[in-house]
Amino acid sequence: MSIQPLEFEKPLFAMKDKINELEQMSQSMNVSLEGEIERLKTQADEVQIKLYRTLTPAQRLQIARHPQRPSCLDLIQMLSPDVWFELHGDRCGTDDRAIIGGIMEIEGRPWMVLGTQKGKNMKENLVHNFGMANPEGYRKALRLFQHAEKFNMPILTLIDTPGAYPGMDGEQHGIGQAIAMNIREMARMHVPIISVVMGEASSGGALGIGVANKIYLLEHALYTVISPEGCASILWRSAEYASRAAEALKITSHDLLEFGIIDGVIEEPTGGAHYDPNLCAERVKETVLLGLESVTSLGGSAEWIQQRYDKYRGIGAFCE
Amino acid sequence: MPLRDWFASRKSNTDKLDASLSNQKISDDELCRLWTLCFQCHEQLPTKDFTQNAKVCPKCDYHFRIGAWERIAQLTGQEEYFQEHGRCESQWFQELFGNLTSADPLGFEDTQAYRSRIEDARKKSKLNEAIVTGEAVLGSHRVALGVMDFSYLGGSMGSVVGEKVTRLIEYALENRLPLVLFSSSGGARMQEGTFSLMQMVKTGAALARLHEAGLLFISVLTEPTFGGVTASYGTLGDIIIAEEGARIGFAGRRVIEQTIRQKLPADFQTAGYLLKYGQLDMVVRRPSLRGTLIELLRLHQPYQTSHIAQNQKITGAKKAPKVKAATS
C-alpha cells in the first residue's frame, strides 16, 4: 500500500519520485546517472531529517489523524496475532462499535484490551462513528473492565478519539455520567491498567477509558482538553486559528512528558507509525510489557491503586 | 394642643422633611438598585422582596444566577449578613483552602493573556477562584461544602478547582463528613490545557475513596453545568439534584446542532428534560433547597453515630475518629 503524503510532506515525496524516475531511466536506457542519483538521495535524506525534526504541533496533529495510521484493531492484530476474542455489548441493548474490547494474549498472558476505533474509510467510519463513543460504549467498557478485574487480567486501553460523540441521544442517556463513572471505577480497579494514546486523545471522551497506572503516547500522538479547532473557535472565535491553538495548548507528547502528565513517549518510525506499523507495534509491545512489569513490581492491588491515585493527585499547577 | 398649632407644627415638620429629602439626593444608581428587572418576564421587582425570595422571580419563578457566597449564605441562613459584608464566614461556615490561586503552567495566550484574564476575573468576581470550599453547618449537620461560582471565568475547572474539590473530599474522608457540591461551570479551563483535563481524574479518584468509605455525596447542579464538570464530580453524586431552571449537559447545544444538523427541542438539556430521561434524582426550586438538603442529610446519617447539634461549633476540635481511606 502506498503512503498518501500529507501536504507538508509533498516536496519530499516529489524528490523521492524524481529519484525513482532517474533510477528507472538509468536502468532502461542503460546510462549511468549514479552521481546525480546519489546527490539527490543525500539531499532527500537531509530534507527528510529536517522535516520530521521540526514538526509543528499542527503537523503532528495531521500525522496523528493520518487515515493510514494503524488503528486500534490493527494494533491488537499485531500485538496478539493468534488470540483475539472481541466481546460485545453493554447488556442494556446496545453494542457501541466506537469502542471495541476483548481478550488478547501477549507472551502467554491474557489481557483485556479496550480501545476507540477509527475507520480507514467512510464505510468503516460509519460503523465506528469516527471513534466517537456514546454512553453505551463507555458502559460496555466498564463491563469489560469489571470482567478483567474478576479474572485478574491486566487492562490495556488504546486511545484514538476526537472525543465523545456530541449527539442528542448521548445527552439523554447520560454521556457525562457514563464517563464520570468510568473515571471513578477505573481509579479503584484492582488490576494494573496501561494506557497508550495512538493518535489524538481529546477531552473527556479519552478519559472515559484513560485512567491508568502508566500512560504512554506515541511520538506524534496528542492528549488535549479540547480539539485545537474547538479551542480556536471559542477563544479566537474562528477555527482558522487551530494551528495557533495547537501550539498554545501544549499537547505534544514531549510537552506532556515534561509536565509529568504522561509516563513515556514511544518513538515512531520516521514519518509516523503508518510508515512501518509492525515496527511501531513492536515498540508498543515492549513499552507496555515494561510498564506492566514496573506496576506489578510495586506489590499487590492496594499498591497499584495507591500508585494510580498518587499519580493523578500530583497533577495540577497552582500557587498557595 | 390647639388645632391651629397642630397644623402649624405639621407644616413645619413636612417642610423639614422635604428639605432633608432634597439634601439627601438618591442617586440613579441607588434608585436602580431598589428595583430589579426580571430577565424572563420583564417585571420590575422590588429588590428587597426579590432578595428575600432567594433571588427567584415571584411572578414567573425565574431563578437568577447567584454567586458562591450568596449561595452559602442562603444555605446557612445568613442572607442579611451576606448583604452587608459580601461574604459570610461564621460558626455556620468556615472557608478552607481559600488561599489557592491559579498558576499559568502553559504561559497561555490567546486574544488576551491567561494571567490578565485571571486578574480581571478576580477583580470582577472578588473571588480567588471559581469555587469556594469549606465546612458548613446545614440545620444540625456538619458537611463539607463546595460551591462553584460562574462569574469567575465561567466557573471553569482548572488546577485550583480540581485541587480544592479534591482537598475537600479528603477533608470529608478525614472527618467522616457528608459532601455537598454545587456545580456551575462551562467545563474544563482551556487555558490550562491537559492540566485541566486531568482534574477530572483527580477529583473522580478521590470520590472513589469517598464512595468506598460509605460517605454520602450530594451533587447539586445549578445553571449552567457543562463539559468536564458534568463528566466528573457533577454526576457522581449518590444523589443528584438539579436546581430549577438549570441547564445541564456534556456537549454544548450549538456543537450538537452543528454535528447532527438538526434543531434541538426547546427544552433540551433543561433540568426537567434530564429528569425525564433518568439523569437526575430530582429538580428542586431554590427556596426549598436548604430544607431538602437537610432532610436528605438527616435520612442518610449512619444510624449509630448521631451528629446532632454539638453546639454547631466548627472548631475542628471535635473531629470524629480518623478513618483511613480505604484503598483496597
Side-chain angles (χ1 to χ4, degrees):
Chain A
M1 188 174 60
S2 66
I3 304 275
Q4 299 162 21
L6 292 164
E7 200 52 46
F8 67 89
E9 291 177 311
K10 280 185 178 159
L12 180 64
F13 271 68
M15 282 178 97
K16 286 186 173 169
D17 284 348
K18 188 90 189 162
I19 294 169
N20 281 343
E21 212 176 287
L22 283 177
E23 274 175 341
Q24 274 170 10
M25 210 197 290
S26 76
Q27 261 177 9
S28 63
M29 295 166 77
N30 222 353
V31 281
S32 174
L33 294 168
E34 262 171 30
E36 180 68 2
I37 290 171
E38 270 316 301
R39 199 181 57 80
L40 272 175
K41 271 191 174 165
T42 18
Q43 216 178 353
D45 284 348
E46 274 168 26
V47 170
Q48 176 163 330
I49 289 168
K50 202 173 158 214
L51 180 70
Y52 293 120
R53 248 196 216 146
T54 55
L55 289 173
T56 64
Q59 288 169 336
R60 283 179 197 275
L61 186 64
Q62 289 177 43
I63 297 179
R65 289 177 181 164
H66 197 288
Q68 288 169 308
R69 196 168 172 81
S71 72
C72 171
L73 279 169
D74 294 336
L75 193 62
I76 292 170
Q77 172 65 35
M78 291 183 280
L79 290 174
S80 170
D82 303 323
V83 180
W84 166 239
F85 286 101
E86 187 176 349
L87 303 174
H88 292 267
D90 65 352
R91 300 294 185 271
C92 296
T94 310
D95 182 32
D96 183 350
R97 303 279 294 149
I99 291 183
I100 51 126
I103 300 168
M104 64 171 185
E105 192 174 50
I106 305 180
E107 294 186 356
R109 182 200 281 268
W111 284 72
M112 179 62 78
V113 56
L114 266 295
T116 45
Q117 174 70 19
K118 275 188 189 171
K120 288 201 170 18
N121 50 47
M122 191 44 87
K123 200 175 148 202
E124 280 180 28
N125 266 324
L126 288 176
V127 173
H128 298 294
N129 200 27
F130 299 86
M132 295 188 282
N134 275 299
E136 293 77 8
Y138 293 103
R139 292 185 180 126
K140 168 168 86 174
L142 181 57
R143 183 178 77 80
L144 299 185
F145 292 145
Q146 283 161 348
H147 181 95
E149 191 175 37
K150 181 172 175 185
F151 297 102
N152 207 19
M153 293 176 196
I155 296 168
L156 174 66
T157 68
L158 304 171
I159 303 174
D160 186 11
T161 177
Y165 184 65
M168 189 163 85
D169 296 353
E171 298 288 325
Q172 290 171 357
H173 300 167
I175 182 68
Q177 192 269 352
I179 292 172
M181 191 53 85
N182 279 18
I183 291 174
R184 189 184 87 181
E185 292 304 306
M186 287 184 92
R188 60 196 203 100
M189 279 282 145
H190 289 247
V191 290
I193 307 175
I194 311 285
S195 184
V196 175
V197 179
M198 303 171 58
E200 51 180 336
S202 210
S203 115
L207 289 184
I209 58 165
V211 181
N213 292 90
K214 298 277 175 194
I215 307 172
Y216 301 105
L217 256 69
L218 289 190
E219 189 184 348
H220 302 304
L222 323 136
Y223 213 140
T224 180
V225 64
I226 181 170
S227 74
E229 291 82 1
C231 177
S233 69
I234 295 170
L235 291 180
W236 281 270
R237 308 214 170 268
S238 159
E240 281 167 31
Y241 290 86
S243 60
R244 271 181 67 183
E247 221 144 294
L249 285 166
K250 302 251 164 65
I251 52 182
T252 67
S253 55
H254 295 101
D255 286 328
L256 296 171
L257 188 64
E258 206 172 293
F259 293 145
I261 291 176
I262 63 168
D263 297 279
V265 176
I266 303 171
E267 203 191 326
E268 290 186 36
T270 309
H274 55 294
Y275 282 87
D276 191 348
N278 283 308
L279 178 63
C280 184
E282 200 48 49
R283 288 178 182 164
V284 169
K285 186 166 144 185
E286 236 169 71
T287 311
V288 165
L289 290 177
L290 278 175
L292 179 67
E293 175 62 35
S294 82
V295 178
T296 47
S297 69
L298 293 173
S301 65
E303 285 79 19
W304 305 337
I305 292 170
Q306 186 66 41
Q307 185 264 338
R308 213 178 297 141
Y309 190 83
D310 294 342
K311 173 182 169 60
Y312 290 98
R313 186 68 190 83
I315 299 179
F318 51 85
C319 319
E320 69 175 315
Chain B
M1 183 191 290
L3 202 56
R4 185 192 299 262
D5 289 356
W6 184 81
F7 274 115
S9 93
R10 201 180 94 120
K11 184 163 188 313
S12 82
N13 276 344
T14 23
D15 285 351
K16 263 190 232 154
L17 194 67
D18 282 351
S20 75
L21 269 181
S22 58
N23 287 341
Q24 218 183 47
K25 263 194 185 157
I26 299 177
S27 70
D28 287 352
D29 253 18
E30 270 175 85
L31 209 65
C32 283
R33 251 180 265 141
L34 292 176
W35 295 89
T36 304
L37 181 74
C38 175
F39 295 135
Q40 188 167 276
C41 68
H42 304 292
E43 179 82 1
Q44 287 284 1
L45 309 164
T47 301
K48 206 177 156 205
D49 296 358
F50 164 67
T51 310
Q52 272 169 5
N53 198 33
K55 295 217 167 150
V56 175
C57 173
K59 200 167 170 231
C60 71
D61 208 39
Y62 178 73
H63 284 53
F64 280 64
R65 202 176 279 164
I66 58 171
W69 282 106
E70 183 156 22
R71 173 77 69 184
I72 292 164
Q74 287 182 4
L75 291 173
T76 54
Q78 306 179 86
E79 287 102 322
E80 276 177 32
Y81 186 87
F82 166 79
Q83 296 306 336
E84 254 175 70
H85 299 88
R87 287 167 74 91
C88 49
E89 278 195 279
S90 64
Q91 76 261 42
W92 308 104
F93 181 79
Q94 269 191 2
E95 191 180 3
L96 294 165
F97 326 120
N99 56 338
L100 265 63
T101 54
S102 307
D104 179 15
L106 309 185
F108 194 95
E109 189 162 353
D110 50 277
T111 50
Q112 189 186 353
Y114 179 41
R115 277 183 190 282
S116 101
R117 276 187 200 269
I118 293 172
E119 260 171 53
D120 290 356
R122 286 176 76 163
K123 271 185 214 146
K124 201 184 109 203
S125 67
K126 301 193 183 78
L127 292 167
N128 270 350
E129 252 295 337
I131 190 168
V132 176
T133 47
E135 186 180 326
V137 178
L138 299 192
S140 56
H141 307 276
R142 291 173 60 197
V143 297
L145 176 68
V147 183
M148 298 188 78
D149 195 311
F150 195 77
S151 68
Y152 188 102
L153 290 178
S156 55
M157 171 171 61
S159 298
V160 175
V161 171
E163 181 69 19
K164 284 173 90 170
V165 169
T166 307
R167 286 192 191 181
L168 187 69
I169 296 166
E170 289 170 343
Y171 182 83
L173 270 164
E174 224 173 86
N175 296 285
R176 300 282 308 166
L177 296 177
L179 172 73
V180 178
L181 282 178
F182 278 73
S183 294
S184 177
S185 172
R189 191 173 297 168
M190 284 176 283
Q191 290 91 342
E192 290 183 28
T194 315
F195 285 95
S196 295
L197 185 68
M198 293 300 165
Q199 304 310 310
M200 293 168 64
V201 183
K202 190 158 95 180
T203 53
L207 284 173
R209 294 188 162 187
L210 195 80
H211 175 70
E212 289 185 347
L215 292 168
L216 175 69
F217 167 30
I218 301 178
S219 172
V220 187
L221 309 177
T222 68
E223 160 73 4
T225 302
F226 278 86
V229 170
T230 302
S232 61
Y233 54 85
T235 49
L236 285 175
D238 297 299
I239 293 175
I240 307 175
I241 300 174
E243 186 174 64
E244 178 69 47
R247 279 169 302 164
I248 300 149
F250 178 62
R253 185 188 179 95
R254 199 163 46 98
V255 175
I256 298 173
E257 281 185 335
Q258 280 167 1
T259 308
I260 64 173
R261 292 163 207 278
Q262 269 179 53
K263 201 112 181 70
L264 292 163
D267 66 343
F268 185 66
Q269 292 181 326
T270 58
Y273 184 87
L274 290 177
L275 185 71
K276 189 168 83 180
Y277 284 100
Q279 301 304 325
L280 304 169
D281 289 294
M282 56 190 97
V283 179
V284 179
R285 292 183 61 251
R286 189 178 294 156
S288 317
L289 257 179
R290 175 179 145 91
T292 304
L293 286 174
I294 291 173
E295 271 301 274
L296 286 171
L297 288 165
R298 183 179 70 78
L299 293 167
H300 287 83
Q301 290 180 98
Y303 190 66
Q304 61 279 41
T305 58
S306 157
H307 294 188
I308 293 177
Q310 296 160 350
N311 293 332
Q312 289 104 18
K313 273 219 164 172
I314 319 170
T315 53
K318 264 184 193 150
K319 277 184 183 169
K322 281 193 183 181
V323 175
K324 212 176 164 232
T327 55
S328 57

